[in-house]
Amino acid sequence: MNWFSFITATSFMPVPATKESGDVDNLYIFLLVSGLISFIILIGGMVIFIFKYRRKTEDQKSAYITHNTLAEFLWSFIPFVIMMVIFAWGWSVFHDLRRVGEKGDVEVHVTARQWAWTFKYANDIEINSPSDKKLVENDPDSTLLKPEIVVVPVGKTIRFILTSDDVLHSFYVPAFRNKMDAVPGRRTTFTFTPIEKGDFTVFCTEYCGTKHSNMMATIRVVDGEQFAAWQAEKLAASAGASNKGPAERGEALFKGSLGCGGCHSIDGSRIVGPTFKGLYGNKRDFADGSSVTADDAYIKQSILVPTAKIVAGYPPAMSSFQGRIKEDEIKDIIEFIKTLK
């Protein structure tokens, strides 16, 4: 690692993986180098003047120095020009990152919620991330979940249309040098053109709750043929899932688009919410001292109005699935829960 690559961050920052990231890096390098030159001129000049014009004898008097109009103009005008260049350059880069109204070659609706991302393509392919599997499976203390894979083609304009179901989230991909908030009730866009193939991690950079650190996904950039093959595979799997029984469909919803596994375990372990294991037909104790036997009506109410009954020992952290889940899907989830003895 040489000093230039270190100060320009090319040695420790992620590879610039989009067309827009190169523009951000160039602006960053300019700001860094111009700041370094200004520092050397200012501090270096002060040090030189301290030694050159210091008083050498006890009776030495300071020279009478009048102002210099040209020098005063230049030290005001040159920084002004540099600031205007930085402003115009920064505005241009920001404008490219915030392209609004541009139709992408691939458009994906991204919905954030505590604590998962749902990516829905135009052909109804849905990816919910993270998965219900531990990121480090052999580590019993690991609390991070494995991100799911979102696939996009290289060289195409990709447009993510973001919103949130609950609180403020922020969609950030370091390798893309771009970040955009996901705001409840609003639609924002995250547009990029990938130029590097590979896997790139998505983070949420707005603290959104206790499992904020689990809001990860992986964007996999592949060539056009691989992207078409991946879509065909996903569509075939989706068609196959529709032929399964209610419990199997419920399991697919649990692990897939609804993302229940991010908060509820099926093996009895404690995570954010109470486990689904042994739920159906058993007694539930609530924070207000009441209790009920978990049946179809209770589970449906818990899905649509999660704050109606708060299970004792757990926070009221679940957001409502009202409007996001169909009646048949609720029945499938209940049938799946019945199998978890």
Side-chain angles (χ1 to χ4, degrees):
M1 181 189 304
N2 59 49
W3 68 271
F4 184 79
S5 63
F6 179 79
I7 66 169
T8 55
T10 53
S11 295
F12 58 87
M13 286 180 68
V15 59
T18 63
K19 186 177 69 175
E20 298 79 8
S21 60
D23 297 333
V24 175
D25 283 359
N26 290 336
L27 178 59
Y28 168 73
I29 292 171
F30 176 80
L31 289 172
L32 201 63
V33 173
S34 61
L36 179 63
I37 293 173
S38 300
F39 174 83
I40 292 173
I41 292 175
L42 179 63
I43 303 302
M46 288 175 60
V47 172
I48 291 172
F49 288 173
I50 286 172
F51 283 97
K52 183 175 181 179
Y53 297 108
R54 74 183 187 281
R55 191 171 68 170
K56 298 184 176 64
T57 61
E58 288 294 330
D59 56 353
Q60 182 181 356
K61 294 183 178 179
S62 299
Y64 179 71
I65 303 173
T66 60
H67 71 92
N68 186 310
T69 304
L70 177 62
E72 292 171 356
F73 172 77
L74 290 178
W75 77 50
S76 300
F77 184 70
I78 293 175
F80 170 75
V81 172
I82 294 174
M83 290 299 107
M84 289 299 101
V85 170
I86 293 173
F87 171 78
W89 193 352
W91 183 87
S92 175
V93 171
F94 183 78
H95 180 265
D96 286 344
L97 293 175
R98 296 289 178 269
R99 283 173 284 173
V100 177
E102 178 179 338
K103 183 173 176 57
D105 298 314
V106 176
E107 294 196 340
V108 182
H109 285 265
V110 182
T111 303
R113 66 178 64 90
Q114 292 172 314
W115 292 272
W117 305 97
T118 296
F119 301 82
K120 187 169 185 178
Y121 291 72
N123 53 11
D124 289 336
I125 292 175
E126 276 194 14
I127 304 295
N128 195 81
S129 186
S131 69
D132 59 341
K133 300 181 179 64
K134 285 186 175 183
L135 184 61
V136 184
E137 295 182 3
N138 297 327
D139 182 0
D141 297 326
S142 173
T143 57
L144 292 179
L145 300 175
K146 189 175 181 180
E148 284 289 2
I149 307 296
V150 180
V151 179
V152 296
V154 68
K156 300 292 186 182
T157 300
I158 313 298
R159 187 170 184 243
F160 285 174
I161 303 162
L162 308 172
T163 191
S164 170
D165 277 345
D166 39 45
V167 299
L168 186 65
H169 302 272
S170 189
F171 190 90
Y172 176 49
V173 186
F176 296 173
R177 310 289 195 270
N178 200 355
K179 183 167 78 75
M180 174 54 74
D181 285 345
V183 185
R186 288 185 58 188
R187 291 191 175 191
T188 53
T189 56
F190 183 101
T191 305
F192 61 99
T193 306
I195 57 174
E196 294 281 346
K197 291 191 283 187
D199 289 354
F200 306 100
T201 303
V202 177
F203 297 98
C204 176
T205 54
E206 192 76 45
Y207 181 72
C208 54
T210 55
K211 290 294 180 180
H212 156 75
S213 56
N214 255 323
M215 285 194 69
M216 291 191 291
T218 297
I219 295 180
R220 177 167 293 170
V221 180
V222 299
D223 58 36
E225 292 77 13
Q226 290 175 307
F227 177 66
W230 175 81
Q231 286 201 313
E233 180 184 342
K234 284 292 179 184
L235 290 172
S238 178
S242 63
N243 298 324
K244 294 180 178 177
E248 291 174 304
R249 292 197 299 269
E251 182 178 8
L253 290 168
F254 175 90
K255 296 180 177 178
S257 60
L258 295 184
C260 311
C263 297
H264 301 279
S265 73
I266 56 176
D267 60 1
S269 60
R270 179 188 177 102
I271 43 181
V272 178
T275 181
F276 283 176
K277 183 177 182 182
L279 166 62
Y280 195 86
N282 289 314
K283 182 183 176 185
R284 276 288 199 205
D285 295 322
F286 303 115
D288 61 3
S290 62
S291 61
V292 71
T293 299
D295 55 9
D296 291 37
Y298 164 69
I299 295 173
K300 180 178 179 179
Q301 183 187 47
S302 299
I303 294 172
L304 299 179
V305 191
T307 54
K309 293 183 174 65
I310 307 300
V311 177
Y314 291 90
M318 180 171 165
S319 58
S320 173
F321 278 71
Q322 185 82 46
R324 294 159 45 194
I325 187 170
K326 301 174 184 174
E327 189 67 29
D328 291 344
E329 292 176 329
I330 294 176
K331 293 177 181 176
D332 291 342
I333 285 287
I334 293 172
E335 292 303 316
F336 171 59
I337 291 175
K338 287 179 180 177
T339 67
L340 305 174
K341 304 297 184 182

Short mmCIF file of all heavy atoms in Angstrom, two decimals, residues 185-220:
data_model
loop_
_atom_site.label_atom_id
_atom_site.label_comp_id
_atom_site.label_asym_id
_atom_site.label_seq_id
_atom_site.Cartn_x
_atom_site.Cartn_y
_atom_site.Cartn_z
N GLY A 185 -44.79 6.05 3.74
CA GLY A 185 -45.68 6.95 3.03
C GLY A 185 -45.07 7.68 1.86
O GLY A 185 -45.74 8.48 1.20
N ARG A 186 -43.79 7.45 1.57
CA ARG A 186 -43.14 8.12 0.43
C ARG A 186 -42.42 7.09 -0.43
O ARG A 186 -42.11 5.99 0.03
CB ARG A 186 -42.11 9.14 0.91
CG ARG A 186 -42.69 10.37 1.53
CD ARG A 186 -41.61 11.38 1.86
NE ARG A 186 -40.84 11.75 0.70
CZ ARG A 186 -39.74 12.51 0.74
NH1 ARG A 186 -39.30 12.95 1.90
NH2 ARG A 186 -39.09 12.82 -0.36
N ARG A 187 -42.17 7.47 -1.67
CA ARG A 187 -41.37 6.62 -2.56
C ARG A 187 -40.12 7.38 -2.95
O ARG A 187 -40.19 8.48 -3.47
CB ARG A 187 -42.17 6.24 -3.81
CG ARG A 187 -43.32 5.30 -3.50
CD ARG A 187 -43.91 4.74 -4.77
NE ARG A 187 -44.94 3.76 -4.48
CZ ARG A 187 -45.47 2.96 -5.39
NH1 ARG A 187 -45.06 3.03 -6.65
NH2 ARG A 187 -46.39 2.09 -5.05
N THR A 188 -38.98 6.78 -2.70
CA THR A 188 -37.70 7.35 -3.09
C THR A 188 -37.02 6.36 -4.04
O THR A 188 -37.40 5.18 -4.10
CB THR A 188 -36.81 7.61 -1.88
OG1 THR A 188 -36.71 6.40 -1.11
CG2 THR A 188 -37.39 8.70 -1.00
N THR A 189 -36.03 6.84 -4.79
CA THR A 189 -35.40 5.96 -5.78
C THR A 189 -33.90 5.86 -5.52
O THR A 189 -33.26 6.80 -5.06
CB THR A 189 -35.62 6.48 -7.21
OG1 THR A 189 -35.15 7.83 -7.31
CG2 THR A 189 -37.09 6.45 -7.57
N PHE A 190 -33.38 4.71 -5.87
CA PHE A 190 -31.95 4.40 -5.73
C PHE A 190 -31.53 3.83 -7.10
O PHE A 190 -31.82 2.68 -7.42
CB PHE A 190 -31.76 3.38 -4.61
CG PHE A 190 -30.34 3.01 -4.30
CD1 PHE A 190 -29.68 3.57 -3.21
CD2 PHE A 190 -29.65 2.08 -5.07
CE1 PHE A 190 -28.39 3.21 -2.89
CE2 PHE A 190 -28.35 1.72 -4.76
CZ PHE A 190 -27.72 2.28 -3.67
N THR A 191 -30.93 4.68 -7.93
CA THR A 191 -30.61 4.28 -9.30
C THR A 191 -29.11 4.08 -9.45
O THR A 191 -28.32 4.89 -8.98
CB THR A 191 -31.09 5.37 -10.29
OG1 THR A 191 -32.48 5.63 -10.06
CG2 THR A 191 -30.90 4.93 -11.72
N PHE A 192 -28.73 3.01 -10.13
CA PHE A 192 -27.31 2.73 -10.32
C PHE A 192 -27.10 1.88 -11.57
O PHE A 192 -28.02 1.20 -12.04
CB PHE A 192 -26.71 2.01 -9.10
CG PHE A 192 -27.34 0.68 -8.79
CD1 PHE A 192 -26.74 -0.51 -9.19
CD2 PHE A 192 -28.55 0.61 -8.11
CE1 PHE A 192 -27.31 -1.74 -8.90
CE2 PHE A 192 -29.14 -0.62 -7.82
CZ PHE A 192 -28.53 -1.79 -8.21
N THR A 193 -25.88 1.94 -12.10
CA THR A 193 -25.50 1.12 -13.26
C THR A 193 -24.28 0.30 -12.89
O THR A 193 -23.16 0.83 -12.85
CB THR A 193 -25.18 2.02 -14.47
OG1 THR A 193 -26.28 2.89 -14.72
CG2 THR A 193 -24.90 1.18 -15.70
N PRO A 194 -24.45 -0.98 -12.55
CA PRO A 194 -23.30 -1.78 -12.12
C PRO A 194 -22.32 -2.04 -13.26
O PRO A 194 -22.72 -2.33 -14.40
CB PRO A 194 -23.95 -3.09 -11.64
CG PRO A 194 -25.28 -3.15 -12.29
CD PRO A 194 -25.72 -1.73 -12.50
N ILE A 195 -21.04 -1.90 -12.95
CA ILE A 195 -19.99 -2.15 -13.94
C ILE A 195 -19.07 -3.29 -13.52
O ILE A 195 -18.20 -3.69 -14.29
CB ILE A 195 -19.15 -0.88 -14.19
CG1 ILE A 195 -18.54 -0.38 -12.88
CG2 ILE A 195 -20.00 0.20 -14.85
CD1 ILE A 195 -17.59 0.79 -13.06
N GLU A 196 -19.25 -3.78 -12.29
CA GLU A 196 -18.43 -4.88 -11.78
C GLU A 196 -19.35 -6.03 -11.38
O GLU A 196 -20.35 -5.82 -10.70
CB GLU A 196 -17.61 -4.44 -10.56
CG GLU A 196 -16.55 -3.40 -10.85
CD GLU A 196 -15.30 -4.02 -11.46
OE1 GLU A 196 -15.16 -5.26 -11.41
OE2 GLU A 196 -14.47 -3.26 -11.98
N LYS A 197 -18.98 -7.25 -11.79
CA LYS A 197 -19.74 -8.42 -11.36
C LYS A 197 -19.25 -8.87 -9.98
O LYS A 197 -18.08 -8.69 -9.64
CB LYS A 197 -19.61 -9.55 -12.39
CG LYS A 197 -20.33 -9.23 -13.68
CD LYS A 197 -20.42 -10.45 -14.60
CE LYS A 197 -19.11 -10.72 -15.29
NZ LYS A 197 -19.23 -11.79 -16.30
N GLY A 198 -20.15 -9.44 -9.19
CA GLY A 198 -19.78 -9.90 -7.85
C GLY A 198 -20.90 -9.68 -6.86
O GLY A 198 -22.01 -9.31 -7.24
N ASP A 199 -20.60 -9.94 -5.59
CA ASP A 199 -21.57 -9.78 -4.51
C ASP A 199 -21.28 -8.50 -3.72
O ASP A 199 -20.13 -8.26 -3.32
CB ASP A 199 -21.52 -10.98 -3.56
CG ASP A 199 -22.08 -12.23 -4.21
OD1 ASP A 199 -22.61 -12.14 -5.34
OD2 ASP A 199 -22.00 -13.30 -3.59
N PHE A 200 -22.33 -7.71 -3.47
CA PHE A 200 -22.17 -6.44 -2.76
C PHE A 200 -23.24 -6.36 -1.66
O PHE A 200 -24.42 -6.63 -1.91
CB PHE A 200 -22.29 -5.26 -3.73
CG PHE A 200 -21.34 -5.38 -4.89
CD1 PHE A 200 -21.79 -5.85 -6.13
CD2 PHE A 200 -20.00 -5.07 -4.74
CE1 PHE A 200 -20.91 -6.00 -7.19
CE2 PHE A 200 -19.12 -5.21 -5.80
CZ PHE A 200 -19.57 -5.68 -7.03
N THR A 201 -22.81 -5.96 -0.48
CA THR A 201 -23.68 -6.01 0.70
C THR A 201 -24.49 -4.73 0.86
O THR A 201 -23.98 -3.63 0.70
CB THR A 201 -22.84 -6.24 1.97
OG1 THR A 201 -22.07 -7.44 1.80
CG2 THR A 201 -23.72 -6.39 3.20
N VAL A 202 -25.78 -4.94 1.19
CA VAL A 202 -26.70 -3.83 1.50
C VAL A 202 -26.79 -3.72 3.02
O VAL A 202 -26.94 -4.73 3.72
CB VAL A 202 -28.10 -4.11 0.93
CG1 VAL A 202 -29.06 -3.00 1.33
CG2 VAL A 202 -28.05 -4.28 -0.57
N PHE A 203 -26.69 -2.50 3.55
CA PHE A 203 -26.86 -2.26 4.97
C PHE A 203 -28.00 -1.25 5.17
O PHE A 203 -28.29 -0.45 4.28
CB PHE A 203 -25.59 -1.67 5.59
CG PHE A 203 -24.39 -2.58 5.53
CD1 PHE A 203 -23.44 -2.43 4.53
CD2 PHE A 203 -24.21 -3.58 6.48
CE1 PHE A 203 -22.34 -3.26 4.46
CE2 PHE A 203 -23.10 -4.41 6.41
CZ PHE A 203 -22.17 -4.26 5.41
N CYS A 204 -28.60 -1.28 6.36
CA CYS A 204 -29.47 -0.19 6.80
C CYS A 204 -28.62 0.72 7.67
O CYS A 204 -28.01 0.26 8.63
CB CYS A 204 -30.68 -0.72 7.58
SG CYS A 204 -31.74 0.61 8.23
N THR A 205 -28.57 2.00 7.32
CA THR A 205 -27.71 2.92 8.08
C THR A 205 -28.52 3.89 8.94
O THR A 205 -28.00 4.91 9.36
CB THR A 205 -26.80 3.72 7.12
OG1 THR A 205 -27.61 4.36 6.14
CG2 THR A 205 -25.80 2.82 6.45
N GLU A 206 -29.78 3.58 9.16
CA GLU A 206 -30.61 4.37 10.07
C GLU A 206 -31.02 3.44 11.19
O GLU A 206 -31.71 2.44 10.94
CB GLU A 206 -31.84 4.91 9.33
CG GLU A 206 -32.60 5.97 10.09
CD GLU A 206 -31.89 7.31 10.05
OE1 GLU A 206 -31.45 7.72 8.96
OE2 GLU A 206 -31.77 7.94 11.11
N TYR A 207 -30.61 3.75 12.44
CA TYR A 207 -30.94 2.84 13.55
C TYR A 207 -32.47 2.73 13.66
O TYR A 207 -33.16 3.72 13.89
CB TYR A 207 -30.36 3.34 14.86
CG TYR A 207 -30.67 2.41 16.01
CD1 TYR A 207 -30.05 1.16 16.10
CD2 TYR A 207 -31.63 2.73 16.96
CE1 TYR A 207 -30.35 0.28 17.12
CE2 TYR A 207 -31.94 1.86 17.99
CZ TYR A 207 -31.29 0.63 18.06
OH TYR A 207 -31.60 -0.25 19.06
N CYS A 208 -32.98 1.50 13.47
CA CYS A 208 -34.42 1.32 13.35
C CYS A 208 -34.98 0.34 14.38
O CYS A 208 -36.15 -0.02 14.30
CB CYS A 208 -34.76 0.83 11.93
SG CYS A 208 -33.85 -0.65 11.44
N GLY A 209 -34.16 -0.06 15.35
CA GLY A 209 -34.66 -0.97 16.37
C GLY A 209 -33.58 -1.95 16.79
O GLY A 209 -32.44 -1.90 16.32
N THR A 210 -33.98 -2.87 17.66
CA THR A 210 -32.99 -3.75 18.28
C THR A 210 -32.30 -4.68 17.30
O THR A 210 -31.19 -5.12 17.53
CB THR A 210 -33.66 -4.59 19.38
OG1 THR A 210 -34.78 -5.29 18.80
CG2 THR A 210 -34.16 -3.71 20.51
N LYS A 211 -32.94 -5.04 16.20
CA LYS A 211 -32.34 -5.95 15.21
C LYS A 211 -31.89 -5.20 13.96
O LYS A 211 -31.83 -5.77 12.87
CB LYS A 211 -33.34 -7.05 14.85
CG LYS A 211 -33.59 -8.05 15.96
CD LYS A 211 -32.36 -8.86 16.28
CE LYS A 211 -32.60 -9.85 17.40
NZ LYS A 211 -31.41 -10.66 17.72
N HIS A 212 -31.61 -3.91 14.12
CA HIS A 212 -31.19 -3.07 13.01
C HIS A 212 -29.99 -3.67 12.25
O HIS A 212 -29.93 -3.63 11.03
CB HIS A 212 -30.84 -1.69 13.57
CG HIS A 212 -29.90 -0.88 12.77
ND1 HIS A 212 -30.25 -0.25 11.60
CD2 HIS A 212 -28.58 -0.61 12.97
CE1 HIS A 212 -29.21 0.40 11.12
NE2 HIS A 212 -28.19 0.19 11.92
N SER A 213 -29.06 -4.25 13.02
CA SER A 213 -27.85 -4.79 12.38
C SER A 213 -28.14 -5.99 11.49
O SER A 213 -27.29 -6.40 10.70
CB SER A 213 -26.82 -5.18 13.44
OG SER A 213 -27.38 -6.11 14.35
N ASN A 214 -29.34 -6.56 11.61
CA ASN A 214 -29.66 -7.73 10.78
C ASN A 214 -30.25 -7.34 9.43
O ASN A 214 -30.55 -8.21 8.60
CB ASN A 214 -30.67 -8.63 11.51
CG ASN A 214 -30.01 -9.87 12.04
OD1 ASN A 214 -29.11 -10.43 11.39
ND2 ASN A 214 -30.39 -10.30 13.22
N MET A 215 -30.44 -6.04 9.20
CA MET A 215 -31.04 -5.63 7.92
C MET A 215 -29.98 -5.60 6.83
O MET A 215 -29.51 -4.54 6.42
CB MET A 215 -31.71 -4.27 8.06
CG MET A 215 -33.03 -4.34 8.80
SD MET A 215 -34.02 -2.85 8.63
CE MET A 215 -34.49 -2.92 6.91
N MET A 216 -29.62 -6.79 6.37
CA MET A 216 -28.64 -6.91 5.29
C MET A 216 -29.24 -7.70 4.13
O MET A 216 -30.17 -8.50 4.30
CB MET A 216 -27.37 -7.60 5.78
CG MET A 216 -26.56 -6.78 6.76
SD MET A 216 -24.94 -7.51 7.07
CE MET A 216 -25.40 -8.98 7.97
N ALA A 217 -28.71 -7.44 2.96
CA ALA A 217 -29.03 -8.22 1.77
C ALA A 217 -27.76 -8.25 0.92
O ALA A 217 -26.83 -7.49 1.16
CB ALA A 217 -30.18 -7.59 0.99
N THR A 218 -27.75 -9.13 -0.05
CA THR A 218 -26.61 -9.21 -0.97
C THR A 218 -27.10 -8.96 -2.39
O THR A 218 -27.99 -9.66 -2.86
CB THR A 218 -25.93 -10.59 -0.89
OG1 THR A 218 -25.40 -10.77 0.43
CG2 THR A 218 -24.79 -10.68 -1.90
N ILE A 219 -26.54 -7.95 -3.04
CA ILE A 219 -26.85 -7.71 -4.45
C ILE A 219 -25.79 -8.41 -5.29
O ILE A 219 -24.60 -8.09 -5.19
CB ILE A 219 -26.89 -6.20 -4.77
CG1 ILE A 219 -28.03 -5.54 -4.00
CG2 ILE A 219 -27.06 -5.97 -6.27
CD1 ILE A 219 -28.14 -4.05 -4.24
N ARG A 220 -26.22 -9.38 -6.07
CA ARG A 220 -25.29 -10.13 -6.92
C ARG A 220 -25.41 -9.62 -8.36
O ARG A 220 -26.48 -9.71 -8.97
CB ARG A 220 -25.59 -11.63 -6.86
CG ARG A 220 -24.73 -12.48 -7.78
CD ARG A 220 -24.86 -13.96 -7.42
NE ARG A 220 -24.27 -14.23 -6.11
CZ ARG A 220 -24.42 -15.39 -5.45
NH1 ARG A 220 -25.12 -16.36 -5.99
NH2 ARG A 220 -23.86 -15.56 -4.26
#
